[in-house]
Amino acid sequence: MSFLPAFATLARARDEARRRKAAVGGAAIYVRGGPHFLGEPLVLGPQDSGTERGPVVYAAYPGEKPVLSGGRRIAGWECGLQAVAHNPGAGSYGLKPALRTARAGPSDLGKALWTVEIPEVKAGKWYPQQLFVNGERRTRARIPNEGYLLNEGPIEPLTDRKKAMSDPNAKSGFRFKPGDMRHWSNLDDAVVYQFHSWTASLHWIKDLDEMAGVVRFTAPANWPTGYWTKNERYYVENVPEALDAPGEWYLDRGTGVVSYWPLPVEDMRKTEVIAPRLRHLVRIEGDPEAGKLVEHVQFRGLSFQHADWLIKDKGEADGQAAVFLDAAITAKGARHCTFDDCEVAHVGEYAVWLGAGCKDNRVHHCHLRDLGGGGVKLGETASPKGEADAAVRNVVDNCFIHDTGHVFPAGVGVWIGRTSHNVVSHNEICDLNYTGVSVGWSWGYAPSSANHNIVEFNHIHHVGRGVLGDMGGIYTLGISPGTVLRGNVIHDVYSPGIGGGTGIYPDEGSSEILIENNLVYHTEQGCFSQHYGRENIVRNNIWAFSQHGEVTRHRQEEHSSFTFERNIVLSANGQPLAGNWSNGKYAMERNLYWDTSTPDPEFDGLTFEDWQALGRDEASLLADPLFVRSPAFRRSSVGSPAFRRSSLGPSDFLLSPDSPALKLGFVPFDPGRAGLYGEREWVSLPKSIVRKPFTPPPPKPRFPEAIEDGFETTPVAERAAWAVTSGEEGGASIRVTDELAASGKKSLKFTDAPDLKHDWQPHLFYTPRYHRGVARLSFDLRLEPGASFVHEWRDASQPYLVGPSIAIDAKGQLTAGGKPLAAVPSDKWIRVEIAAGLGKQATGTYDMSIAVEGQPPQRFDRLPLGSPAWKSLRWLGFISTAKERAVLYLDNVSLGR
């Protein structure tokens, strides 16, 4: 291997290595300590390759810590403008115009703005989007400083939601509350961050109408549901009026002046301020389709810092996992290249991207932190055209990836796209706004080019942080044979109450995946939660303490969803299972369940005995698992929120030798194996993180055992509190009103409309979980002329079975099972009472009585159910079926058993 003489730049050393390596075999370029400000990215092509025996090495000089920076120091700060904090009462932000020229004296340094002019910015040659002070990211001036504003909904009312999904105008702006947005100075550079469920879109303002309360953007969101709804979160960044708090900065593009309000501990005369100039720090540029590869290049002990982000022409900036982003270090056509003991920090997009044609590369023992997007991207969003441009057999091992999503909140710790045979192992991935590890990029059961990926022994925690939802510690997509998720420890996964935070989340068609030996605890919406998929194997895991069911199954399909065996499920909410389980298309056996809140938890609404009587969970047990620290799980102690959030660690889940789980075949595993390995300083580094206090969203209230709702406590014009409302479009609605009431002052008004796509819209339904006993329902109903109505009880089968079902047509004819029973008048209240046996008490019939206002009741006993095999109540619907505009009223809904 050749050792090169000293050079001033990496590019010059690279060029010399090209010249000499062929003669001597390989080259070693050692970088001395201290910062090296790059004038351009280090670009490596096929001519910069080494060989297996003679690699080309870029390494830190022994004992020194070099930093390769894509930024530039900003010096020459002057203390000039006096800072004025935001006064919410006065509605003022930033600098008051009268004080723009006020000079701060020595006693005002702690509350003064410091400024400096950057000539390249003024000349239009440079516009940095981030600022780093003393090695820390600073906040670009924003409104509000913490939290969010809430919009007022789409610009135009949504009359056809399906059409809106494909209409860019439906997602190119929104209405805002008076005073929330203004014609601030330099509106052209303002950035609006709009938060959806699992993404957040960035927007530049095209037009803002304060009087109308409407803002329009230069480009639409790429939000797949296609439209925005009311009360979506957003904030505004990069307007001078928002510069109102210590730690904030603003750069005026026209004048080139950057203003910064220092933290109280900062002395700007001694402070290092760096702004990024480059988007990329390293680009490995092979041409895999042409067979021109970059091979056997190694990076060791280098720190790569200060890279910016770019969205061209103020275009679309939105998408799941922020996959549209580039990275500070990018590679295409790289083979057998390594990043070992390196750091990537203070960058605007992803840290590392091993893209098309990258094979057999390794990112090992690297520290990836303070990232605008995510950590590592493997592969592409599209399937490879052929073997040459396939990305396969790449490894991300023993890396500490944290503090992500500063600019693009949906960035993922490690994203595996349409690529196979990769290994993601022994990483510590934490403090993200979205998913820890995402595997696969195909939706449904379409052919997939992601398979045989191994995600093992990672410690993934503090994910979501209440920012984004519909995500998980590990998230998967599509058919993925040979993929294994094992030995991972995942905890503290919380959304803002939208979409949920899950431990391991097989989404959209995830199939043929082995999930074993994982420990997941402290999640919001399931420790294991499968949307839909087939033939997954879920075995020998510990699932503990989710707010809403530790094990969740959503879509029911005719094939087997999964085999669930030899798992320990520890709950504290009385319902270890959530979602839909009625069709039985899954295998569950030899599992151990224990609930710390009740000795009799429900299993899809059933007792454990009744659940097993259906042939489910054969040879499973309901018993204390006897963890070594089992006293910590006593029913008297687990109920406190503080215990659930912070008191547990992986060591609390080690089993004692007499655990009943062992008799079921559970094989003990050591959760302590997950995470980083190696020298003590490296392994203990994650413990140095100081997190802001975070309170998970409160658990969503469970559907009550009984309903008594006369709608008196719900505000007028709002939806029913305990029901799901559907079909409010084209003028149709279901809202609380004070126009009429059977008793009290309020009722629920159904307004139907012509030309709706479905006759069964609008409708409203409740979601009880009744499987045994006798269900009893009563309600008051009033049909105005022309109104028609259907009321129905269903189970959760697919297709569902129908229990009691009645209909009233526009002429007032009441029928059940197609058989006329009675005539009911319009413009009068009708009292309806229904009783039906459930489970073992189901008889195939139900009883009903109706009483027209001012008349004696009529009884109808032993009416036939819609489906004789119906035995459980999971859907209780009230449906307006008119084909023209018509109105009906519902009141005093009472349900119990």
mmCIF file of all heavy atoms in Angstrom, residues 41 94 112 141 145 209 217 288 297 358 483 486 529 532 534 538 543 559 605 626 640 726 751 766 778 790 819 821:
data_model
loop_
_atom_site.group_PDB
_atom_site.id
_atom_site.type_symbol
_atom_site.label_atom_id
_atom_site.label_comp_id
_atom_site.label_asym_id
_atom_site.label_seq_id
_atom_site.Cartn_x
_atom_site.Cartn_y
_atom_site.Cartn_z
ATOM 1 N N PRO A 41 -17.733 18.592 -2.861
ATOM 2 C CA PRO A 41 -17.816 17.227 -2.346
ATOM 3 C C PRO A 41 -16.631 16.394 -2.821
ATOM 4 O O PRO A 41 -16.050 16.648 -3.886
ATOM 5 C CB PRO A 41 -19.134 16.698 -2.935
ATOM 6 C CG PRO A 41 -19.892 17.901 -3.369
ATOM 7 C CD PRO A 41 -18.872 18.929 -3.739
ATOM 8 N N GLY A 94 -41.271 39.076 16.980
ATOM 9 C CA GLY A 94 -39.967 39.512 16.505
ATOM 10 C C GLY A 94 -39.632 40.942 16.859
ATOM 11 O O GLY A 94 -39.968 41.450 17.920
ATOM 12 N N ALA A 112 -29.934 40.670 23.143
ATOM 13 C CA ALA A 112 -29.693 41.394 21.905
ATOM 14 C C ALA A 112 -29.562 40.434 20.743
ATOM 15 O O ALA A 112 -29.119 39.301 20.888
ATOM 16 C CB ALA A 112 -28.426 42.226 22.031
ATOM 17 N N ALA A 141 -36.157 30.783 12.913
ATOM 18 C CA ALA A 141 -37.277 31.484 13.543
ATOM 19 C C ALA A 141 -38.609 30.919 13.074
ATOM 20 O O ALA A 141 -38.856 30.795 11.874
ATOM 21 C CB ALA A 141 -37.180 32.971 13.231
ATOM 22 N N ASN A 145 -43.322 29.138 18.725
ATOM 23 C CA ASN A 145 -42.011 28.630 19.126
ATOM 24 C C ASN A 145 -42.069 27.171 19.512
ATOM 25 O O ASN A 145 -41.123 26.416 19.285
ATOM 26 C CB ASN A 145 -41.464 29.461 20.297
ATOM 27 C CG ASN A 145 -41.053 30.845 19.850
ATOM 28 O OD1 ASN A 145 -40.729 31.060 18.688
ATOM 29 N ND2 ASN A 145 -41.084 31.795 20.769
ATOM 30 N N ASP A 209 -54.244 35.306 1.702
ATOM 31 C CA ASP A 209 -55.348 36.254 1.813
ATOM 32 C C ASP A 209 -55.770 36.309 3.276
ATOM 33 O O ASP A 209 -56.469 35.417 3.769
ATOM 34 C CB ASP A 209 -56.510 35.806 0.935
ATOM 35 C CG ASP A 209 -57.624 36.838 0.857
ATOM 36 O OD1 ASP A 209 -57.794 37.603 1.832
ATOM 37 O OD2 ASP A 209 -58.355 36.870 -0.160
ATOM 38 N N PHE A 217 -50.240 27.372 -1.796
ATOM 39 C CA PHE A 217 -48.832 27.031 -1.857
ATOM 40 C C PHE A 217 -48.340 26.879 -3.284
ATOM 41 O O PHE A 217 -49.118 26.692 -4.226
ATOM 42 C CB PHE A 217 -48.577 25.740 -1.073
ATOM 43 C CG PHE A 217 -48.968 25.817 0.375
ATOM 44 C CD1 PHE A 217 -49.742 24.827 0.945
ATOM 45 C CD2 PHE A 217 -48.578 26.893 1.156
ATOM 46 C CE1 PHE A 217 -50.107 24.893 2.277
ATOM 47 C CE2 PHE A 217 -48.939 26.978 2.483
ATOM 48 C CZ PHE A 217 -49.713 25.973 3.055
ATOM 49 N N PRO A 288 -23.332 1.193 -12.568
ATOM 50 C CA PRO A 288 -23.445 -0.269 -12.495
ATOM 51 C C PRO A 288 -23.958 -0.901 -13.784
ATOM 52 O O PRO A 288 -23.537 -2.000 -14.133
ATOM 53 C CB PRO A 288 -24.413 -0.482 -11.325
ATOM 54 C CG PRO A 288 -25.143 0.820 -11.161
ATOM 55 C CD PRO A 288 -24.172 1.871 -11.570
ATOM 56 N N VAL A 297 -13.172 0.796 -1.355
ATOM 57 C CA VAL A 297 -12.783 2.076 -0.767
ATOM 58 C C VAL A 297 -13.233 2.055 0.689
ATOM 59 O O VAL A 297 -14.356 1.664 0.999
ATOM 60 C CB VAL A 297 -13.421 3.259 -1.513
ATOM 61 C CG1 VAL A 297 -13.047 4.582 -0.838
ATOM 62 C CG2 VAL A 297 -12.986 3.271 -2.981
ATOM 63 N N CYS A 358 -25.416 -0.883 -5.411
ATOM 64 C CA CYS A 358 -24.507 -0.987 -4.253
ATOM 65 C C CYS A 358 -24.613 -2.394 -3.659
ATOM 66 O O CYS A 358 -25.687 -2.824 -3.238
ATOM 67 C CB CYS A 358 -24.855 0.057 -3.203
ATOM 68 S SG CYS A 358 -24.393 1.736 -3.688
ATOM 69 N N THR A 483 -37.335 -12.774 5.169
ATOM 70 C CA THR A 483 -37.038 -11.651 6.056
ATOM 71 C C THR A 483 -37.261 -12.073 7.502
ATOM 72 O O THR A 483 -38.248 -12.725 7.830
ATOM 73 C CB THR A 483 -37.900 -10.435 5.691
ATOM 74 O OG1 THR A 483 -37.447 -9.926 4.433
ATOM 75 C CG2 THR A 483 -37.803 -9.342 6.729
ATOM 76 N N ARG A 486 -35.613 -10.305 14.567
ATOM 77 C CA ARG A 486 -35.372 -11.106 15.766
ATOM 78 C C ARG A 486 -34.421 -10.396 16.736
ATOM 79 O O ARG A 486 -33.541 -9.634 16.332
ATOM 80 C CB ARG A 486 -34.792 -12.470 15.401
ATOM 81 C CG ARG A 486 -33.415 -12.434 14.798
ATOM 82 C CD ARG A 486 -32.919 -13.831 14.435
ATOM 83 N NE ARG A 486 -31.751 -13.773 13.589
ATOM 84 C CZ ARG A 486 -31.498 -14.620 12.591
ATOM 85 N NH1 ARG A 486 -32.340 -15.604 12.318
ATOM 86 N NH2 ARG A 486 -30.405 -14.495 11.861
ATOM 87 N N SER A 529 -48.688 -5.267 15.748
ATOM 88 C CA SER A 529 -49.920 -4.817 15.104
ATOM 89 C C SER A 529 -49.816 -5.066 13.611
ATOM 90 O O SER A 529 -49.044 -4.409 12.911
ATOM 91 C CB SER A 529 -50.148 -3.326 15.374
ATOM 92 O OG SER A 529 -51.340 -2.876 14.760
ATOM 93 N N TYR A 532 -52.454 -5.950 7.448
ATOM 94 C CA TYR A 532 -52.868 -7.172 6.757
ATOM 95 C C TYR A 532 -51.667 -7.810 6.094
ATOM 96 O O TYR A 532 -50.680 -7.144 5.784
ATOM 97 C CB TYR A 532 -54.000 -6.913 5.755
ATOM 98 C CG TYR A 532 -53.635 -6.098 4.528
ATOM 99 C CD1 TYR A 532 -53.227 -6.715 3.350
ATOM 100 C CD2 TYR A 532 -53.723 -4.712 4.545
ATOM 101 C CE1 TYR A 532 -52.925 -5.972 2.219
ATOM 102 C CE2 TYR A 532 -53.422 -3.963 3.419
ATOM 103 C CZ TYR A 532 -53.021 -4.599 2.263
ATOM 104 O OH TYR A 532 -52.718 -3.857 1.144
ATOM 105 N N ARG A 534 -50.048 -12.180 5.130
ATOM 106 C CA ARG A 534 -50.340 -13.609 5.184
ATOM 107 C C ARG A 534 -49.090 -14.398 5.569
ATOM 108 O O ARG A 534 -47.965 -14.020 5.256
ATOM 109 C CB ARG A 534 -50.893 -14.111 3.852
ATOM 110 C CG ARG A 534 -49.920 -14.027 2.692
ATOM 111 C CD ARG A 534 -50.565 -14.443 1.375
ATOM 112 N NE ARG A 534 -49.622 -14.361 0.273
ATOM 113 C CZ ARG A 534 -49.919 -13.932 -0.939
ATOM 114 N NH1 ARG A 534 -51.153 -13.514 -1.205
ATOM 115 N NH2 ARG A 534 -49.011 -13.903 -1.894
ATOM 116 N N VAL A 538 -45.032 -15.492 14.129
ATOM 117 C CA VAL A 538 -44.756 -14.622 15.270
ATOM 118 C C VAL A 538 -44.581 -15.532 16.477
ATOM 119 O O VAL A 538 -45.546 -16.063 17.021
ATOM 120 C CB VAL A 538 -45.918 -13.628 15.490
ATOM 121 C CG1 VAL A 538 -45.570 -12.633 16.587
ATOM 122 C CG2 VAL A 538 -46.260 -12.905 14.189
ATOM 123 N N TRP A 543 -44.484 -9.308 24.514
ATOM 124 C CA TRP A 543 -45.235 -8.108 24.157
ATOM 125 C C TRP A 543 -45.847 -7.555 25.443
ATOM 126 O O TRP A 543 -46.666 -8.222 26.084
ATOM 127 C CB TRP A 543 -46.334 -8.420 23.154
ATOM 128 C CG TRP A 543 -45.946 -9.299 22.002
ATOM 129 C CD1 TRP A 543 -46.278 -10.601 21.806
ATOM 130 C CD2 TRP A 543 -45.154 -8.922 20.862
ATOM 131 N NE1 TRP A 543 -45.749 -11.069 20.622
ATOM 132 C CE2 TRP A 543 -45.055 -10.061 20.016
ATOM 133 C CE3 TRP A 543 -44.519 -7.740 20.468
ATOM 134 C CZ2 TRP A 543 -44.349 -10.047 18.821
ATOM 135 C CZ3 TRP A 543 -43.813 -7.729 19.269
ATOM 136 C CH2 TRP A 543 -43.735 -8.874 18.453
ATOM 137 N N HIS A 559 -57.253 -15.866 3.863
ATOM 138 C CA HIS A 559 -56.070 -16.672 4.137
ATOM 139 C C HIS A 559 -55.633 -16.472 5.580
ATOM 140 O O HIS A 559 -56.148 -15.596 6.290
ATOM 141 C CB HIS A 559 -54.938 -16.309 3.174
ATOM 142 C CG HIS A 559 -54.612 -14.847 3.163
ATOM 143 N ND1 HIS A 559 -54.895 -14.025 2.091
ATOM 144 C CD2 HIS A 559 -54.063 -14.034 4.103
ATOM 145 C CE1 HIS A 559 -54.510 -12.785 2.372
ATOM 146 N NE2 HIS A 559 -54.005 -12.765 3.593
ATOM 147 N N GLY A 605 -63.651 -9.622 23.398
ATOM 148 C CA GLY A 605 -64.940 -9.560 24.051
ATOM 149 C C GLY A 605 -65.354 -10.807 24.795
ATOM 150 O O GLY A 605 -66.415 -10.832 25.420
ATOM 151 N N LEU A 626 -44.086 -14.766 35.876
ATOM 152 C CA LEU A 626 -43.016 -14.875 36.879
ATOM 153 C C LEU A 626 -41.672 -14.388 36.337
ATOM 154 O O LEU A 626 -40.698 -15.126 36.247
ATOM 155 C CB LEU A 626 -42.894 -16.318 37.394
ATOM 156 C CG LEU A 626 -44.134 -16.880 38.101
ATOM 157 C CD1 LEU A 626 -43.879 -18.325 38.531
ATOM 158 C CD2 LEU A 626 -44.527 -16.017 39.294
ATOM 159 N N SER A 640 -49.959 3.084 37.462
ATOM 160 C CA SER A 640 -49.558 4.481 37.399
ATOM 161 C C SER A 640 -48.888 4.798 36.075
ATOM 162 O O SER A 640 -48.077 4.030 35.573
ATOM 163 C CB SER A 640 -48.591 4.809 38.535
ATOM 164 O OG SER A 640 -47.331 4.249 38.300
ATOM 165 N N SER A 726 -70.249 8.566 9.120
ATOM 166 C CA SER A 726 -69.741 8.316 7.765
ATOM 167 C C SER A 726 -70.686 8.910 6.733
ATOM 168 O O SER A 726 -71.908 8.935 6.937
ATOM 169 C CB SER A 726 -69.606 6.804 7.531
ATOM 170 O OG SER A 726 -69.187 6.526 6.214
ATOM 171 N N THR A 751 -79.299 14.369 7.908
ATOM 172 C CA THR A 751 -79.740 15.068 6.701
ATOM 173 C C THR A 751 -79.242 14.302 5.487
ATOM 174 O O THR A 751 -78.024 14.174 5.283
ATOM 175 C CB THR A 751 -79.200 16.505 6.657
ATOM 176 O OG1 THR A 751 -79.615 17.205 7.834
ATOM 177 C CG2 THR A 751 -79.703 17.230 5.424
ATOM 178 N N TYR A 766 -72.035 2.508 16.149
ATOM 179 C CA TYR A 766 -71.306 2.297 17.392
ATOM 180 C C TYR A 766 -70.537 0.985 17.292
ATOM 181 O O TYR A 766 -70.877 0.112 16.475
ATOM 182 C CB TYR A 766 -72.275 2.230 18.582
ATOM 183 C CG TYR A 766 -73.010 3.521 18.854
ATOM 184 C CD1 TYR A 766 -74.223 3.806 18.223
ATOM 185 C CD2 TYR A 766 -72.505 4.455 19.751
ATOM 186 C CE1 TYR A 766 -74.913 4.981 18.484
ATOM 187 C CE2 TYR A 766 -73.182 5.638 20.017
ATOM 188 C CZ TYR A 766 -74.384 5.898 19.378
ATOM 189 O OH TYR A 766 -75.057 7.068 19.637
ATOM 190 N N SER A 778 -82.401 0.539 23.165
ATOM 191 C CA SER A 778 -83.595 1.361 22.964
ATOM 192 C C SER A 778 -83.169 2.695 22.369
ATOM 193 O O SER A 778 -82.049 3.172 22.608
ATOM 194 C CB SER A 778 -84.362 1.565 24.271
ATOM 195 O OG SER A 778 -83.560 2.247 25.220
ATOM 196 N N VAL A 790 -82.791 2.533 8.067
ATOM 197 C CA VAL A 790 -82.437 1.146 8.349
ATOM 198 C C VAL A 790 -81.639 1.114 9.639
ATOM 199 O O VAL A 790 -80.749 1.956 9.856
ATOM 200 C CB VAL A 790 -81.622 0.514 7.200
ATOM 201 C CG1 VAL A 790 -81.014 -0.814 7.632
ATOM 202 C CG2 VAL A 790 -82.490 0.316 5.964
ATOM 203 N N LYS A 819 -90.421 -8.683 5.961
ATOM 204 C CA LYS A 819 -91.823 -8.915 6.320
ATOM 205 C C LYS A 819 -92.426 -7.651 6.918
ATOM 206 O O LYS A 819 -91.892 -7.107 7.883
ATOM 207 C CB LYS A 819 -91.910 -10.057 7.332
ATOM 208 C CG LYS A 819 -93.326 -10.374 7.782
ATOM 209 C CD LYS A 819 -93.312 -11.504 8.794
ATOM 210 C CE LYS A 819 -94.706 -11.795 9.309
ATOM 211 N NZ LYS A 819 -94.718 -12.897 10.297
ATOM 212 N N LEU A 821 -94.399 -5.279 9.281
ATOM 213 C CA LEU A 821 -94.822 -5.432 10.675
ATOM 214 C C LEU A 821 -95.833 -4.378 11.096
ATOM 215 O O LEU A 821 -96.790 -4.682 11.813
ATOM 216 C CB LEU A 821 -93.605 -5.351 11.600
ATOM 217 C CG LEU A 821 -92.534 -6.437 11.474
ATOM 218 C CD1 LEU A 821 -91.429 -6.212 12.508
ATOM 219 C CD2 LEU A 821 -93.126 -7.827 11.653
#
